[in-house]
Amino acid sequence: MDATVTSAAPIYDLLIAERGDVVAEAARIAEQTRLEAAGTLDFGLPGSGEDSDADADAA
C-alpha cells in the first residue's frame, strides 16, 4: 500500500484488494439485468420507455 494515499476506509480497501469490489460488481450486474429485462418486457406501448416517468410527472 502507498502510505501517501489517504483513505476513509482502509479496511474496506484491503477487502477490495483481497476479494474484489463486490459492491461495484453487484451494481454492474443489476444494471445489466435491468437493461435486459427492459428489452424483454418492452411491448412497444406509448410511454413505456424511460421517459414515461417524466411524462407522468408533467401531466
Side-chain angles (χ1 to χ4, degrees):
M1 286 180 84
D2 186 1
T4 61
V5 177
T6 59
S7 175
I11 293 172
Y12 184 70
D13 292 339
L14 181 62
L15 287 172
I16 289 174
E18 290 178 0
R19 305 288 181 160
D21 194 345
V22 175
V23 174
E25 180 68 9
R28 185 188 65 77
I29 291 171
E31 178 64 11
Q32 180 181 359
T33 303
R34 184 191 69 80
L35 292 172
E36 184 178 329
T40 301
L41 300 175
D42 182 13
F43 298 111
L45 300 173
S48 63
E50 290 186 17
D51 294 335
S52 63
D53 291 337
D55 293 341
D57 292 339

